[in-house]
Amino acid sequence: MMQGVMSAASRDVRSVRQLEYVLGSPRASLGTHIQRWSLSQPGERDSFNARINSTIVDGFLLAEAFCDPVAGVRDQCTTGDARSVWVGVTESGTSWFSQGVNAGYTPPGGVMLWDSGRPASFQVCSELHQKYLGIPYEIAESIIPDLGTLCGTSVSPANSCSALLATHM
């Protein structure tokens, strides 16, 4: 069953906490699927532009995010039913991320994989547009061999798997 599309945008608030609002807003339907990130913006900026559109379909979360450069670290992790494995496809912009001993870079067309149940960090290097699929952890664990060793990795846009996935998200 598909729920309606939820959306949260930084323009909805006027404060230095615009990104926290977007990530934590119940209107983005991400609040129960991700834990709060400790965030920082590079350089001196008066504002931060971000928007997340998301919907839940049969327990899978589909999200599309747009944001300015930002960095984040997450030590608190999602547990229980809300724990998810995230597959992200970069449409435009670039980002770095790490989880455990793995680290990845996602240029346009790149694909990333991370686990909401483990600490992670990221850095958005330029204006970013990404699409995400949040898969309940138990389902992902049953269909992805060696899931634990793959989280925090990326797949190059030159890989045919990335191209196939990008066209279907």
Side-chain angles (χ1 to χ4, degrees):
M1 184 167 105
M2 183 166 140
Q3 295 181 1
V5 173
M6 307 285 237
S7 184
S10 59
R11 71 178 182 284
D12 295 339
V13 294
R14 297 176 191 260
S15 77
V16 295
R17 296 288 175 217
Q18 291 170 320
L19 183 58
E20 284 92 341
Y21 170 78
V22 171
L23 284 177
S25 173
R27 295 187 319 159
S29 71
L30 297 175
T32 59
H33 294 273
I34 62 172
Q35 292 295 323
R36 303 274 178 174
W37 291 85
S38 174
L39 302 166
S40 62
Q41 293 174 263
E44 297 295 320
R45 298 179 66 114
D46 292 332
S47 66
F48 177 84
N49 293 307
R51 184 175 82 238
I52 295 176
N53 302 317
S54 63
T55 190
I56 298 173
V57 180
D58 294 328
F60 291 78
L61 190 127
L62 303 170
E64 182 173 37
F66 304 84
C67 73
D68 284 344
V70 65
V73 175
R74 181 192 65 216
D75 293 322
Q76 284 186 317
C77 301
T78 308
T79 58
D81 293 341
R83 185 176 181 185
S84 300
V85 171
W86 291 84
V87 178
V89 175
T90 301
E91 297 287 322
S92 64
T94 57
S95 66
W96 289 93
F97 65 97
S98 66
Q99 188 161 53
V101 298
N102 296 328
Y105 169 72
T106 54
V111 175
M112 60 182 273
L113 183 71
W114 60 276
D115 175 357
S116 71
R118 296 172 44 204
S121 63
F122 72 90
Q123 181 172 354
V124 173
C125 307
S126 60
E127 289 182 17
L128 189 67
H129 174 198
Q130 286 184 325
K131 293 180 180 177
Y132 300 95
L133 171 63
I135 305 168
Y137 188 82
E138 298 77 26
I139 293 172
E141 188 177 42
S142 71
I143 60 174
I144 302 173
D146 299 322
L147 178 63
T149 61
L150 294 173
C151 289
T153 61
S154 62
V155 181
S156 164
N159 184 300
S160 58
C161 180
S162 287
L164 180 65
L165 186 58
T167 60
H168 286 87
M169 283 186 67

